[in-house]
């Protein structure tokens, strides 16, 4: 049985499509029964999407960090 800790450790593999079939099935089953992990994976997806939309290379500037925080707050309040 997959645990909440496993979800945190394997979220990147799952979202990148690098998880095996059995891992994907176990993860999806866990997400069906665990609201906290569903939230975690959803927030992780949002963070990846917002960060990739910045298109920055190297360390982010203060303005990019402020923009990222503003976008995350807007998404959270929707």
């Amino acid at each position: 049985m997959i645990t909440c800790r496993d979800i945190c450790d394997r979220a990147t593999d799952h979202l990148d499509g690098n998880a095996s079939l059995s891992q994907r099935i176990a993860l999806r089953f866990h997400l069906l029964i665990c609201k906290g992990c569903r939230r975690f994976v959803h927030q992780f997806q949002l963070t990846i999407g917002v960060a990739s939309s910045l298109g920055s290379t190297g360390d982010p500037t203060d303005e990019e960090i402020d923009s990222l925080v503003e976008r995350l707050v807007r998404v959270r309040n929707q």
Side-chain angles (χ1 to χ4, degrees):
M1 179 77 139
I2 194 168
T3 65
C4 296
R5 180 70 171 169
D6 295 330
I7 297 292
C8 293
D9 293 343
R10 298 179 188 165
T12 303
D13 287 340
H14 173 68
L15 295 174
D16 290 342
N18 295 329
S20 69
L21 177 60
S22 62
Q23 288 173 331
R24 291 192 318 261
I25 290 169
L27 186 132
R28 287 181 185 220
F29 179 74
H30 183 89
L31 292 178
L32 283 172
I33 61 173
C34 185
K35 186 177 184 177
C37 286
R38 283 194 306 271
R39 285 182 181 162
F40 170 78
V41 170
H42 180 70
Q43 289 173 347
F44 195 60
Q45 289 172 310
L46 290 174
T47 302
I48 290 169
V50 170
S52 67
S53 73
L54 293 175
S56 177
T57 58
D59 291 335
T61 64
D62 288 341
E63 292 81 20
E64 289 173 325
I65 292 171
D66 291 341
S67 174
L68 175 62
V69 170
E70 288 173 16
R71 289 179 187 186
L72 290 172
V73 168
R74 278 197 306 265
V75 168
R76 181 174 179 223
N77 293 330
Q78 288 181 351

